[in-house]
Amino acid sequence: MTSTSVDLRKTVPLSPLLRLLILTQLAFNIGFFAVLPFLSEHLGQAVGMAGWLVGFVLGLRTFSQQGLFVVGGALADRYGIRPVVLAGCVLRIAGFGWLGYAERTGAVIGAVLLIGFAAALFSPAVESEVARQAVVHEEAGGQRTRVLALFTVAGQAGAFVGPLLGAVLLSVDFRTVCLAGAGVFVLVLAGHAWMLPQHIPGRQRVRLEGGLGVLIRNRRFLALCCAYGAYLLAYNQLYLALPDEVERATGSQSALAWLFALSSLLVVTAQLPVTRWVGSRLSLRRSMVAGLLLIGAGFAVVAVSRPADWTGTAGLLPSAGFVVLLTFGQMLVAPVARAWVPDLAEEGRLGLYTGALSSVSGLIVLIGSSVTGSLLDGGLPVAVPWLVLAVVPVAAIGLLPRR
């Protein structure tokens, strides 16, 4: 697929299944983002982890989630999405409950792995079905990228509400935040046990054997995975580099929730207009190029301002600029990458390929987050870590498939 250009004036209504899946993403993110933005400070302050270990644990969480998406995607291809989604919700409830009571490094790592693997089950199942239904929607005269943009908007709406909920509950303690996150997933589990169909028309179950070998030989798909991994590593700095910068500028992380809210509000309000504008003008590849350049510019803004060592409200301006540019880059990259996957996937293996997109990127984040944590704690000139991070998404442009 080389262009997303369609008749943008035509509006095709979403199917009931698509509406359910989009609302699913909203609920998932409310529960998840009530906890995650505050995990870094909890690990460093309450648990007493070193900076490199905090970075490693955050990367491990991403890898256990994104890195194992390929498992959840393959299971969804084999058994359908309903059992995989429900099992993931049960594990997420257990993981959040465990994290709330974990006080030692080993227990924290166990809880984080469980939280990540839970998403490795339910997220690729939901995402692959949204991508498949987006193609069906396109065949009916709609716009594929618009469906994926709505999915992104729902996720960001959840990411907007989640940190605000977590910030309020953090006034009690971190355990309360974790238990509230678990409570959200109890509601999600009950709702999906009731509403998610046992069988989805048009979805065929395939054997687990044989798909991975074909995927590994698909060079264009693997190139997309690597470029997406660079984007995800950059996005992960919202939870690693940004909290450090906010605390340096203001002496606390209280402003962090508002920066997350800013990011989510931008996506909720601007994602669909951006997708509509880009869809009629840029190919999938050019859209990702523009997005990666914006993300690189966001890191450069902090790198350029960092030697001035601004504090207070002025010190938050570079962080806000970073969040804005990163968010607009995300609007261009994330829906387009997901929309590209069905064109590169083997027939009947969309779950596997959707999962692999996240698995490869999760491995990149695992390695990159440890390196980033060392950079931030390494006593280097203040601008160097941010300059290094600026190079990563720009260099990833060369990895994008050209056809």
Side-chain angles (χ1 to χ4, degrees):
M1 181 174 178
T2 58
S3 176
T4 59
S5 180
V6 295
D7 182 0
L8 299 177
R9 294 169 297 177
K10 183 175 182 179
T11 301
V12 178
L14 300 178
S15 68
L17 178 58
L18 266 177
R19 289 197 294 269
L20 173 62
L21 294 174
I22 289 169
L23 289 174
T24 296
Q25 183 70 354
L26 170 66
F28 282 169
N29 278 11
I30 289 175
F32 180 67
F33 283 98
V35 177
L36 188 66
F38 311 100
L39 180 58
S40 174
E41 183 180 19
H42 174 71
L43 297 182
Q45 301 295 326
V47 182
M49 292 183 176
W52 73 266
L53 186 55
V54 172
F56 178 76
V57 170
L58 292 177
L60 193 62
R61 195 281 310 167
T62 302
F63 177 71
S64 65
Q65 176 175 322
Q66 307 291 131
L68 297 178
F69 263 37
V70 65
V71 176
L75 290 174
D77 288 338
R78 177 65 182 88
Y79 298 107
I81 71 169
R82 179 183 167 88
V84 179
V85 168
L86 297 182
C89 288
V90 170
L91 292 183
R92 177 56 66 83
I93 293 165
F96 275 162
W98 188 5
L99 182 62
Y101 288 89
E103 297 179 351
R104 297 179 180 272
T105 298
V108 168
I109 289 175
V112 164
L113 286 172
L114 193 59
I115 289 168
F117 183 62
L121 292 179
F122 58 65
S123 287
V126 170
E127 289 177 13
S128 63
E129 188 58 36
V130 168
R132 197 178 72 84
Q133 293 295 325
V135 174
V136 174
H137 184 76
E138 184 178 65
E139 291 170 351
Q143 186 184 13
R144 186 191 311 191
T145 51
R146 179 177 179 272
V147 172
L148 276 301
L150 283 169
F151 189 73
T152 299
V153 168
Q156 287 300 320
F160 176 83
V161 175
L164 298 179
L165 173 64
V168 171
L169 295 175
L170 196 61
S171 62
V172 181
D173 56 21
F174 184 73
R175 179 176 298 169
T176 302
V177 174
C178 290
L179 294 179
V184 171
F185 277 88
V186 169
L187 297 177
V188 172
L189 175 65
H192 284 71
W194 176 43
M195 292 186 291
L196 198 60
Q198 293 279 358
H199 175 71
I200 298 173
R203 187 175 187 116
Q204 299 180 349
R205 299 181 182 182
V206 298
R207 296 176 62 86
L208 295 176
E209 297 83 3
L212 190 59
V214 176
L215 185 152
I216 291 172
R217 295 189 292 272
N218 190 331
R219 294 183 179 179
R220 294 180 65 221
F221 175 73
L222 292 179
L224 176 64
C225 289
C226 290
Y228 188 76
Y231 148 73
L232 190 63
L233 175 61
Y235 185 80
N236 203 52
Q237 301 315 307
L238 286 173
Y239 316 116
L240 185 56
L242 182 64
D244 270 6
E245 176 62 15
V246 169
E247 186 156 2
R248 180 207 64 79
T250 65
S252 76
Q253 295 191 14
S254 59
L256 193 59
W258 297 105
L259 290 174
F260 275 97
L262 172 63
S263 174
S264 299
L265 186 62
L266 283 173
V267 174
V268 170
T269 58
Q271 177 71 76
L272 292 178
V274 167
T275 299
R276 189 179 302 114
W277 187 88
V278 170
S280 63
R281 292 167 176 82
L282 300 179
S283 67
L284 295 181
R285 187 179 191 280
R286 289 180 177 178
S287 179
M288 288 195 69
V289 167
L292 291 168
L293 287 174
L294 284 174
I295 292 169
F299 287 104
V301 165
V302 180
V304 169
S305 65
R306 201 51 189 82
D309 204 29
W310 296 332
T311 58
T313 302
L316 283 176
L317 292 177
S319 294
F322 163 71
V323 168
V324 169
L325 289 169
L326 180 68
T327 302
F328 275 101
Q330 175 199 4
M331 290 184 206
L332 296 177
V333 172
V336 167
R338 295 190 188 102
W340 208 337
V341 173
D343 295 329
L344 303 174
E346 181 187 1
E347 184 69 26
R349 304 277 185 183
L350 186 54
L352 175 66
Y353 278 71
T354 300
L357 177 69
S358 295
S359 291
V360 174
S361 60
L363 179 60
I364 292 171
V365 170
L366 176 62
I367 298 169
S369 292
S370 297
V371 174
T372 302
S374 297
L375 283 173
L376 293 171
D377 280 350
L380 296 169
V382 291
V384 169
W386 291 87
L387 285 174
V388 172
L389 289 166
V391 170
V392 172
V394 176
I397 292 172
L399 301 174
L400 291 171
R402 295 190 175 275
R403 290 186 296 113

